[in-house]
Amino acid sequence: MMMRRMVGVVAALMLMQRVAWAAEEEQAEKSLGTVVVTATRTEQPIEAATNSVSVISAQDIANRQTQTVSDALRDTPGVDVVQPGSTGTAAGVFIRGADTDQTLILVDGVEVNSATLGGFNFGNIMTDDVGRIEVLRGSGGTLYGSEAMAGVINILSAKGAGAPHFSLASGGGNIGTSSSLGAFGGERGIVAFTGSLGYFTTAGFRATNNDFSNLTSALRVDVTPIEHGTLRGFWRSANSSLGLADNNIGNGYGDFIDPNARQSDTFYLGKGEWEHTPTENLTYRISGAYNYTLNVLSDSVDTEVIPPPFPPFFLSYFRVPNTNTVADAQTDYTEGTLGVTTVGFEFKEQTGALKSVSGSGDVVRFDASRNNYAGYVQQQLRFLDDRLSIVGGFRTDGNQDFGSETSAAWSVGYLEDWGQHDRWSTHVKSSYAEGFRAPTFNELFFPKSGNQNLAAETSSEYDVGAAQHLGFEWLTAEATYFTRRTSNLIQFTSVAQCPGAVVEPGATFTPCNLGRADVQGVETVVGAGPIHGVSLRGTYTYLDWNLLGGKQLLRRPHNRMSATLNYDRGQVLRPADRFNANLNVLFVGERTDIDPQTFTNTANQTYTRVDLAMRYDMPLPGRETSTVGVFARVQNLFDRNYDEALGFKSPPINVLAGGRVSF
């Protein structure tokens, strides 16, 4: 029935840019290996990283036909993604059990966390023109400062390569879902470029007011005017509109549809960067960036259905703009084969404002800004023909609101190839890192509750792990144990229980540095392939915690597993064609959540979600550089009924199919 209702669309057509660029990236990785930059702020092979870092490549995104960055992150070890309800709603990411505002989110190296709320809304960020996503699990405060207590997620744009090319794509499916994408990329002389314009929309699965639409644009230009000198420009924007059919649930009104609650989100980011290697041993980079986000919600209640008075937490309108302005400079000096010394300086200005109107007509507003200066030093040392790596460093931040904070880190890794053929190689690594989170503007300045005497949350984290090839280059297993203690946790409490709080007259509740959390767990990954075109990857994460007062970490399961089976084959029906099929299974264990009706803690049940994606591409007759293809993707293949966030139904089966052409 779902398939018969599917809107078949084969227009001029979807995701070929991802396929073409993913193929180029795959060829580069075969010769150079996967390179990461987030772990040390310098390029290094992922096999040499001494931290726990994962890479989601353009090939992974293309194989799974992943539409949003939040979906791309779901099977990363140590990472939990929670989206309350329909596509487009605010999605949060938890790394190793930490809160969403304790993970730093970067887009092309630029911080995009909200200064007002602390976290970042992944529900509005699509995978258009994304070259790879790097996930650093474990504190990154030494290199990145505030919010990097649990780790860093860096969303990186694709770099143009090869002859100039252009692609068009379109697809459609059930529940009014459609997607279209135009993209271009390539190199011409000293200029490399990529860009895209994509539009996604869905009517949603609720009876009314459940639609979501998103318009995303992206551009990256690399210009090399002199030898070893590159000027880069980055642009990304996302504008969305969302119907909040479930908005009443969080207000305790019961499970009926809110017909007029609407949310709009605006995001744009621009960055300029100059990188130059004047000598063989010295590289410097200077950059400046600006990021703007705006979140607006409006709602009015049908008084015939819900009579006044409204609960105090019901909002009829709020508007929250945030900006991040960043300038930084970094120098990397390579001392022969011994190691790399990194020295950097960063300036950041954040602004945030709020206008909120309650159901009773009360207006709350504030406007705030702050500056932060930081300097960091890191030393990488390599010994024994690069088999032994030692990394250490520290960073000092000076913030006009909470003062100064110094964070240190070290890590060590040892790689031994027992057979010299990568069949039994072992990589052992261990790290220690400190992190912190500066209080948000809401925690400091929110009228009638903000506490201007808050200190930063601080953390210390250890992890140790090993990766092992099991007799074959294509068969690997990896396990990592981690433990983190977070102090000065900011928790909401009565003013009477928070000595020293600086609050407005009349405030009764306020944020306070009261809590402590101890979290530990194990992350495991097993990979096999590719062999005869078949690859299998499985992950399992176990998480445990101890919070003061016996409290629970909400929406974070003790057990999470995923498995991905990928089949890739060329020359299926004709020379130079290619077929790919990808099956992804995600299991999320029982977790504690808040009942939206009673506001008490209760258990949210386990769920298993299965996604399937397939595509076929072939060259156009007589034009070997041009291709045409078809694709199909099914999310929640078995139409399971589950809530990622309790009380907010997750989407049912969703089919999207269409075609693409590239030339």
Side-chain angles (χ1 to χ4, degrees):
M1 187 67 179
M2 288 289 185
M3 294 299 291
R4 289 199 300 269
R5 297 205 309 265
M6 184 181 68
V7 181
V9 177
V10 182
L13 300 169
M14 186 175 183
L15 302 177
M16 176 46 65
Q17 175 202 24
R18 296 179 188 169
V19 175
W21 290 343
E24 291 167 5
E25 181 177 288
E26 184 179 34
Q27 286 300 115
E29 289 186 3
K30 287 180 179 178
S31 58
L32 301 176
T34 301
V35 174
V36 295
V37 298
T38 308
T40 61
R41 280 188 180 254
T42 60
E43 290 189 351
Q44 64 176 162
I46 191 170
E47 294 82 2
T50 53
N51 305 95
S52 298
V53 60
S54 300
V55 175
I56 303 165
S57 69
Q59 186 71 65
D60 298 326
I61 294 171
N63 288 346
R64 292 185 58 182
Q65 300 178 34
T66 307
Q67 197 79 44
T68 63
V69 170
S70 57
D71 275 345
L73 291 167
R74 288 184 184 277
D75 60 352
T76 305
V79 175
D80 291 296
V81 178
V82 178
Q83 188 167 30
S86 308
T87 301
T89 56
V93 173
F94 308 89
I95 295 183
R96 291 180 170 178
D99 291 336
T100 57
D101 57 8
Q102 295 173 338
T103 295
L104 182 67
I105 312 302
L106 307 175
V107 175
D108 288 313
V110 180
E111 179 179 343
V112 294
N113 290 62
S114 166
T116 307
L117 300 174
F120 177 71
N121 176 17
F122 279 91
N124 194 37
I125 301 299
M126 316 304 278
T127 56
D128 299 353
D129 204 36
V130 172
R132 69 183 188 274
I133 304 169
E134 298 183 359
V135 182
L136 174 65
R137 309 188 308 277
S139 177
T142 300
L143 290 177
Y144 296 100
S146 181
E147 278 84 48
M149 291 176 65
V152 180
I153 298 174
N154 198 359
I155 304 163
L156 297 164
S157 298
K159 179 183 178 182
H165 52 273
F166 180 74
S167 66
L168 290 171
S170 184
N174 66 318
I175 59 177
T177 303
S178 67
S179 179
S180 56
L181 177 69
F184 60 89
E187 289 180 285
R188 182 62 63 89
I190 64 172
V191 180
F193 53 91
T194 61
S196 66
L197 180 66
Y199 182 72
F200 175 84
T201 184
T202 180
F205 61 94
R206 305 285 279 175
T208 187
N209 195 34
N210 197 213
D211 59 294
F212 170 69
S213 61
N214 178 284
L215 178 66
T216 291
S217 67
L219 178 68
R220 171 176 172 172
V221 179
D222 295 64
V223 182
T224 308
I226 61 175
E227 187 177 12
H228 307 305
T230 302
L231 180 65
R232 301 185 183 96
F234 302 86
W235 166 264
R236 180 171 288 271
S237 71
N239 293 275
S240 67
S241 177
L242 172 68
L244 296 174
D246 292 328
N247 191 56
N248 61 82
I249 294 176
N251 292 311
Y253 289 137
D255 188 18
F256 67 89
I257 290 176
D258 190 325
N260 48 29
R262 303 291 302 179
Q263 178 176 317
S264 65
D265 290 279
T266 300
F267 170 93
Y268 62 80
L269 177 148
K271 178 184 179 180
E273 178 179 276
W274 168 253
E275 184 172 357
H276 184 212
T277 305
T279 69
E280 183 179 357
N281 294 341
L282 181 66
T283 298
Y284 69 90
R285 183 174 66 249
I286 302 171
S287 68
Y290 179 79
N291 164 237
Y292 173 83
T293 60
L294 174 65
N295 175 248
V296 178
L297 179 144
S298 61
D299 190 13
S300 59
V301 173
D302 185 346
T303 56
E304 294 182 1
V305 178
I306 304 175
F310 305 127
F313 41 81
F314 171 75
L315 299 179
S316 64
Y317 175 84
F318 73 77
R319 184 178 188 274
V320 185
N322 280 267
T323 70
N324 289 303
T325 305
V326 182
D328 65 65
Q330 179 177 311
T331 299
D332 304 309
Y333 179 75
T334 303
E335 181 60 43
T337 60
L338 181 60
V340 180
T341 302
T342 298
V343 179
F345 174 81
E346 178 187 87
F347 166 78
K348 177 173 62 179
E349 181 185 54
Q350 294 179 301
T351 68
L354 169 72
K355 179 182 179 181
S356 173
V357 182
S358 70
S360 59
D362 294 333
V363 178
V364 171
R365 64 173 76 227
F366 71 82
D367 194 336
S369 66
R370 67 182 173 202
N371 297 332
N372 188 89
Y373 297 86
Y376 55 89
V377 178
Q378 177 184 259
Q379 180 65 53
Q380 303 178 57
L381 298 173
R382 298 188 294 267
F383 304 101
L384 304 177
D385 297 325
D386 292 345
R387 288 178 296 163
L388 176 63
S389 299
I390 301 173
V391 181
F394 68 92
R395 170 177 169 132
T396 298
D397 285 80
N399 187 289
Q400 72 177 77
D401 286 336
F402 71 88
S404 63
E405 190 72 37
T406 298
S407 305
W410 60 259
S411 59
V412 60
Y414 181 76
L415 178 64
E416 182 66 53
D417 188 357
W418 305 101
Q420 303 298 317
H421 299 291
D422 228 8
R423 295 181 58 184
W424 292 100
S425 64
T426 303
H427 187 199
V428 182
K429 53 189 176 181
S430 180
S431 69
Y432 167 79
E434 298 171 349
F436 71 98
R437 183 184 73 85
T440 67
F441 287 158
N442 278 4
E443 291 166 337
L444 289 169
F445 307 120
F446 199 92
K448 299 297 183 181
S449 69
N451 179 3
Q452 297 184 37
N453 195 31
L454 288 173
E457 297 177 339
T458 60
S459 68
S460 58
E461 181 166 358
Y462 297 86
D463 68 15
V464 59
Q468 177 70 51
H469 282 90
L470 302 173
F472 302 92
E473 186 179 354
W474 49 265
L475 184 60
T476 61
E478 180 178 355
T480 303
Y481 168 79
F482 63 88
T483 178
R484 179 181 64 250
R485 169 165 289 185
T486 303
S487 302
N488 278 343
L489 268 179
I490 298 174
Q491 297 180 321
F492 214 60
T493 187
S494 66
V495 173
Q497 293 180 320
C498 189
V502 178
V503 298
E504 292 183 4
T508 56
F509 291 91
T510 188
C512 193
N513 295 109
L514 287 179
R516 193 187 81 193
D518 294 310
V519 179
Q520 62 179 346
V522 177
E523 302 159 346
T524 61
V525 182
V526 177
I531 180 169
H532 301 299
V534 178
S535 300
L536 178 64
R537 181 177 183 268
T539 72
Y540 169 71
T541 301
Y542 174 75
L543 184 69
D544 198 12
W545 56 82
N546 180 20
L547 306 184
L548 288 182
K551 297 181 180 179
Q552 296 292 309
L553 288 179
L554 299 179
R555 297 179 177 176
R556 274 148 282 189
H558 289 289
N559 299 282
R560 171 182 287 265
M561 292 180 284
S562 72
T564 301
L565 178 65
N566 191 77
Y567 176 67
D568 191 87
R569 181 185 173 186
Q571 300 183 356
V572 180
L573 300 177
R574 54 181 298 174
D577 70 358
R578 182 161 294 277
F579 172 76
N580 183 273
N582 187 277
L583 182 71
N584 183 266
V585 181
L586 176 67
F587 169 82
V588 177
E590 185 177 286
R591 57 240 178 258
T592 301
D593 207 338
I594 297 178
D595 187 306
Q597 306 305 317
T598 65
F599 301 102
T600 58
N601 285 4
T602 189
N604 193 0
Q605 299 304 306
T606 65
Y607 72 88
T608 301
R609 168 175 151 177
V610 180
D611 298 335
L612 175 66
M614 294 182 290
R615 71 176 192 269
Y616 175 76
D617 300 287
M618 66 178 181
L620 290 171
R623 301 188 64 179
E624 296 300 318
T625 59
S626 300
T627 57
V628 64
V630 293
F631 67 90
R633 154 191 113 208
V634 186
Q635 292 183 315
N636 194 5
L637 177 64
F638 298 110
D639 201 20
R640 298 304 188 199
N641 183 12
Y642 67 97
D643 298 6
E644 280 190 16
L646 194 62
F648 297 85
K649 297 298 181 186
S650 293
I653 184 172
N654 184 211
V655 181
L656 185 73
R660 51 182 164 256
V661 63
S662 177
F663 47 90

